[in-house]
């Protein structure tokens, strides 16, 4: 830490528990033996249990206290420190020195991956956690650095000496480096290659999966970073061969955290680009996925985060479907029902054009944005975190405000198949020029860019997103402008859902008929009657 003008971390004085020593020794052995099943069990289960038992409010032993147990293995010590700092961030508020040291460890770890031949195999869940934690700590440092008014003179002096730590360009450099070195964009250029990658889950024979899979997850990492910066088109393009709507060609469903991150940040990017149909499809896919897998993660350390993201995406879906009611056709019936249970009142208020609801839900559900440029250390009054958030909120509310009167306009239009412009203006208690402006807004928002099966996640063509279609013509008799109205009805529940629902009902009937309470003659009569 002397490089940053800081002080070395306090010496860990407690003895290392025997169970922790055994954990380190066996984890090291299993990594050397490439025993993926045991590595995953120790990483995902044993590490959490030991943390809960011995280190609930303290850090794990520093690396120098366990290095002799693993013969000072450099790569293992880097992996151990990665877990050490992740636990530290989860249980305490890290100091600036610890933030700097964690950055140094990631830099050393990524340089090993980029500059040497790595032959080990690690569980995909751990590899995703490395990428995810790397970006989280960058985000955390940006939030920490943005609150200058709360810093002591000592902290401000240290910040001046570590301006290259958790630097945006450095973060992008290492993520892009992992992508380029892995060759994942080239290797997954075809549907067949993606299918094979998913089938093998990145484990191909005896070769290492580490660089290949981390490159893949770094694509999702770039999506997240660019989304945090408000660069939504760039965020979607960064996904490269990962196409969210080709669910059968994705590795992310194998790792819940990666899958949730993919669809949360992709869905949010689509929403901010006013691509409402794609946003709804994204949220529908992941909300259905979470509902299916959340029971398996109840004992996981990530369970609370999964539930939080689930609630945030329902809030974003409420915004999306209120701004574009036609997008509800992309929702499964179960998602629609849950959405109404959670946000029916707020959605009705948004659809009436009432203020305060959209920005409330946006504030709750949006990412924690970061500023692309760090704040000047001589201006202690500026909170760059709030500036980044307020800028994104203003951008979002600007096009929401343009559509604020559309729900009222649609309510009147749906009462008629044809109505004159003067009459509509009188009903809305406004002038004709204002009604014309709202009709232009309605026409402009009746289509949105939508992915149609070709290209990357940012590609697409203009598709109808209207629930009401209007056309304006002249009335020959009165020379008044006539508005013709056609209401677009959303399709009913999808056929597969209809079939599954009736299969379930049939199974219930069969179970009831076969229950011990029904005698043989009654059962026969019941089947005949059915």
């Amino acid at each position: 830490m002397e490089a940053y003008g800081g002080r070395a971390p306090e010496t860990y004085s407690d003895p290392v528990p025997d169970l922790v020593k055994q954990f380190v020794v066996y984890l090291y052995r299993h990594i050397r033996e490439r025993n993926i099943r045991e590595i995953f069990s120790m990483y995902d289960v044993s590490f959490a249990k030991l943390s809960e038992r011995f280190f609930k409010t303290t850090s794990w032993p520093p690396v120098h206290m366990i290095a002799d147990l693993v013969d000072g293995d450099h790569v293992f010590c880097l992996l151990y420190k990665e877990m050490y700092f992740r636990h530290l961030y989860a249980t305490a508020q890290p100091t600036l020195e610890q933030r700097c040291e964690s950055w140094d460890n990631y830099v050393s770890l990524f340089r090993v991956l980029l500059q040497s031949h790595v032959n080990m195999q690690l569980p995909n869940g751990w590899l995703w956690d490395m990428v995810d934690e790397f970006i989280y700590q960058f985000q955390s440092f940006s939030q920490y650095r943005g609150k200058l008014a709360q810093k002591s003179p000592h902290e401000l002096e240290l910040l001046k000496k570590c301006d290259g730590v958790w630097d945006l360009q450095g973060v992008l450099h290492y993520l892009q480096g992992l992508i380029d070195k892995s060759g994942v964009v080239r290797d997954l250029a075809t549907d067949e290659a993606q299918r094979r990658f998913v089938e093998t889950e990145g484990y191909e024979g005896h070769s290492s999966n580490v660089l290949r899979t981390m490159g893949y997850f770094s694509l999702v990492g770039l999506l997240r970073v660019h989304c945090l910066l408000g660069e939504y088109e760039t965020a979607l393009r960064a996904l490269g061969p990962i196409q969210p709507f080709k669910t059968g060609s994705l590795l992310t469903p194998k790792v819940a955290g990666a899958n949730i991150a993919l669809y949360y940040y992709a869905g949010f990017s689509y929403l901010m680009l006013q691509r409402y149909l794609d946003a709804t499809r994204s949220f529908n896919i992941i909300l259905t996925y979470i509902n299916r897998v959340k029971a398996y993660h109840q004992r996981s350390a990530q369970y609370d985060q999964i539930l939080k993201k689930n609630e945030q995406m329902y809030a974003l879906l409420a915004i999306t479907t209120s701004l574009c009611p036609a997008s509800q056709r992309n929702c499964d019936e179960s998602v629609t029902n849950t959405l109404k249970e959670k946000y029916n009142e707020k959605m009705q208020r948004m659809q009436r054009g009432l203020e305060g609801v959209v920005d409330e839900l946006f504030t709750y559900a949006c990412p924690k944005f970061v500023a692309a440029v760090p704040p000047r250390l001589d201006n202690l009054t500026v909170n760059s975190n709030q500036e980044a958030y307020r800028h994104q909120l203003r951008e979002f509310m600007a096009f929401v405000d343009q559509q604020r009167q559309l729900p009222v306009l649609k309510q009147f239009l749906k009462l008629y198949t044809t109505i004159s412009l003067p009459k509509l203006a009188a009903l809305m208690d406004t002038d004709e020029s204002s009604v014309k402006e709202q009709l232009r807004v309605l026409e402009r928002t009746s289509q949105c860019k939508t992915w149609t099966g070709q290209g990357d996640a940012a590609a697409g063509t203009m598709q109808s997103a209207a629930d009401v279609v209007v056309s304006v013509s002249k009335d020959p008799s009165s020379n008044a402008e006539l508005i013709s109205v056609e209401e677009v009805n959303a399709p009913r529940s999808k056929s597969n859902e209809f079939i599954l629902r009736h299969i379930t009902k049939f199974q219930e009937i069969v179970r009831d008929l076969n229950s011990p309470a029904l005698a043989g003659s009654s059962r026969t009569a019941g089947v005949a009657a059915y």
Side-chain angles (χ1 to χ4, degrees):
M1 287 309 302
E2 287 77 5
Y4 302 108
R7 57 186 182 276
E10 295 181 7
T11 303
Y12 187 90
S13 57
D14 295 335
V16 179
D18 289 339
L19 286 177
V20 175
K21 290 181 179 179
Q22 292 177 20
F23 169 82
V24 171
V25 169
Y26 282 114
L27 180 60
Y28 176 57
R29 177 186 300 174
H30 291 315
I31 289 177
R32 288 178 61 86
E33 295 174 353
R34 291 183 163 196
N35 191 334
I36 291 294
R37 185 183 298 275
E38 289 299 327
I39 296 172
F40 180 75
S41 176
M42 297 194 71
Y43 169 79
D44 194 56
V45 179
S46 301
F47 183 74
K49 289 183 176 180
L50 291 172
S51 298
E52 179 70 18
R53 179 173 177 180
F54 296 108
F55 311 111
K56 194 169 185 178
T57 58
T58 62
S59 67
W60 273 64
V63 69
H64 71 266
M65 296 190 70
I66 60 92
D68 289 343
L69 299 174
V70 297
D71 301 323
D73 187 285
H74 178 59
V75 175
F76 182 87
C77 288
L78 293 175
L79 294 174
Y80 176 86
K81 288 178 70 176
E82 195 274 335
M83 295 192 296
Y84 168 91
F85 283 114
R86 178 143 29 99
H87 172 263
L88 179 66
Y89 270 77
T91 57
Q93 184 68 26
T95 65
L96 176 57
E97 291 89 343
Q98 290 166 334
R99 294 175 189 272
C100 293
E101 191 175 355
S102 182
W103 164 259
D104 287 343
N105 187 69
Y106 273 115
V107 169
S108 298
L109 179 59
F110 291 159
R111 283 178 177 172
V112 168
L113 298 180
L114 295 173
Q115 298 175 5
S116 62
H117 178 71
V118 177
N119 60 8
M120 64 180 173
Q121 290 187 341
L122 293 176
N124 289 339
W126 191 351
L127 298 176
W128 162 251
D129 286 346
M130 288 185 200
V131 175
D132 183 55
E133 184 70 14
F134 178 64
I135 299 171
Y136 167 74
Q137 290 188 23
F138 157 70
Q139 185 179 11
S140 174
F141 185 82
S142 299
Q143 297 284 324
Y144 166 84
R145 183 178 52 193
K147 301 175 182 177
L148 295 178
Q150 302 175 13
K151 300 289 182 291
S152 67
H154 174 68
E155 288 178 301
L156 292 173
E157 190 63 30
L158 287 181
L159 277 172
K160 293 178 182 178
K161 297 180 179 180
C162 58
D163 57 349
V165 172
W166 293 113
D167 172 64
L168 171 62
Q169 294 306 316
V171 171
L172 294 174
H173 168 76
Y174 284 110
L175 290 174
Q176 190 63 53
L178 291 169
I179 294 168
D180 294 341
K181 182 68 182 292
S182 69
V184 66
V185 175
R186 178 192 66 249
D187 293 345
L188 300 184
T190 65
D191 291 342
E192 174 61 25
Q194 293 183 27
R195 183 190 62 78
R196 185 171 64 252
F197 183 70
V198 172
E199 286 180 353
T200 63
E201 298 186 21
Y203 303 101
E204 295 188 5
H206 295 287
S207 63
S208 172
N209 70 312
V210 173
L211 188 58
R212 184 187 310 115
T213 306
M214 284 197 73
Y216 183 89
F217 287 143
S218 292
L219 294 169
V220 181
L222 280 183
L223 162 73
R224 177 179 174 182
V225 172
H226 286 296
C227 186
L228 295 177
L229 296 169
E231 301 169 347
Y232 303 112
E233 189 81 21
T234 304
L236 293 172
R237 292 196 184 283
L239 284 173
I242 297 179
Q243 174 40 253
F245 304 129
K246 290 184 176 181
T247 55
S249 300
L250 297 176
L251 178 65
T252 54
K254 307 287 187 179
V255 181
N259 208 37
I260 292 170
L262 169 63
Y263 286 100
Y264 171 76
Y265 290 103
F268 187 83
S269 297
Y270 284 129
L271 172 59
M272 295 298 285
L273 293 170
Q274 303 176 52
R275 295 179 58 166
Y276 302 121
L277 299 181
D278 286 338
T280 304
R281 287 174 69 188
S282 299
F283 294 137
N284 179 72
I285 289 171
I286 193 59
L287 290 170
T288 304
Y289 170 87
I290 291 175
N291 186 57
R292 188 171 69 249
V293 305
K294 64 182 180 182
Y296 299 102
H297 295 274
Q298 287 184 347
R299 296 184 180 180
S300 169
Q302 300 176 347
Y303 185 64
D304 290 342
Q305 186 64 20
I306 291 174
L307 295 184
K308 179 181 178 181
K309 277 289 177 275
N310 186 69
E311 293 301 312
Q312 286 180 314
M313 284 187 284
Y314 268 113
L316 293 173
L317 184 60
I319 295 174
T320 308
T321 54
S322 297
L323 293 175
C324 180
S327 67
Q328 287 195 41
R329 64 186 181 223
N330 288 334
C331 288
D332 291 349
E333 186 176 11
S334 60
V335 172
T336 300
N337 291 338
T338 304
L339 178 65
K340 289 180 179 179
E341 291 174 6
K342 292 178 179 291
Y343 289 109
N344 189 50
E345 179 187 355
K346 291 186 185 302
M347 290 171 64
Q348 290 180 356
R349 291 171 62 191
M350 285 189 284
Q351 290 167 3
R352 292 199 300 269
L354 299 180
E355 297 183 5
V357 185
V358 176
D359 47 353
E360 173 193 338
L361 293 180
F362 181 89
T363 300
Y364 166 69
C366 71
K368 290 184 178 180
F369 300 106
V370 299
V373 180
R376 291 174 49 188
L377 298 179
D378 58 354
N379 188 355
L380 303 183
T381 60
V382 174
N383 186 329
S384 61
N385 303 325
Q386 285 300 310
E387 285 297 319
Y389 155 72
R390 282 194 289 264
H391 175 71
Q392 296 303 320
L393 179 61
R394 283 194 302 269
E395 292 283 318
F396 182 68
M397 293 306 298
F399 62 78
V400 170
D401 289 339
Q402 294 177 1
Q403 301 175 226
R404 195 173 295 281
Q405 297 302 317
L406 291 188
V408 177
L409 174 65
K410 290 179 183 179
Q411 286 177 0
F412 286 109
L413 289 175
K414 289 179 180 180
L415 298 175
Y416 300 88
T417 55
T418 304
I419 184 174
S420 67
L421 181 62
K423 183 176 180 180
L424 180 58
L427 288 172
M428 295 182 64
D429 194 22
T430 186
D431 56 80
E432 294 183 21
S433 61
S434 297
V435 174
K436 285 184 178 180
E437 177 60 29
Q438 287 303 309
L439 288 172
R440 282 192 288 270
V441 174
L442 178 62
E443 181 181 9
R444 189 165 62 247
T445 58
S446 65
Q447 289 193 331
C448 66
K449 189 176 180 180
T450 307
W451 191 77
T452 54
Q454 299 295 326
D456 59 25
T461 58
M462 299 304 291
Q463 301 286 319
S464 174
D467 56 335
V468 175
V469 178
V470 299
S471 58
V472 181
S473 60
K474 286 283 187 178
D475 184 357
S477 58
S478 64
N479 205 34
E481 291 183 279
L482 284 180
I483 303 170
S484 300
V485 183
E486 180 182 354
E487 188 171 353
V488 180
N489 294 319
R492 294 189 176 184
S493 58
K494 299 176 182 179
S495 59
N496 59 338
E497 294 177 11
F498 178 86
I499 294 171
L500 287 172
R501 189 165 60 251
H502 282 74
I503 288 175
T504 302
K505 290 182 178 179
F506 180 78
Q507 290 173 336
E508 291 174 353
I509 292 172
V510 171
R511 185 175 63 248
D512 291 340
L513 292 174
N514 290 330
S515 65
L518 295 176
S521 58
S522 299
R523 185 180 304 167
T524 304
V527 172
Y530 177 75

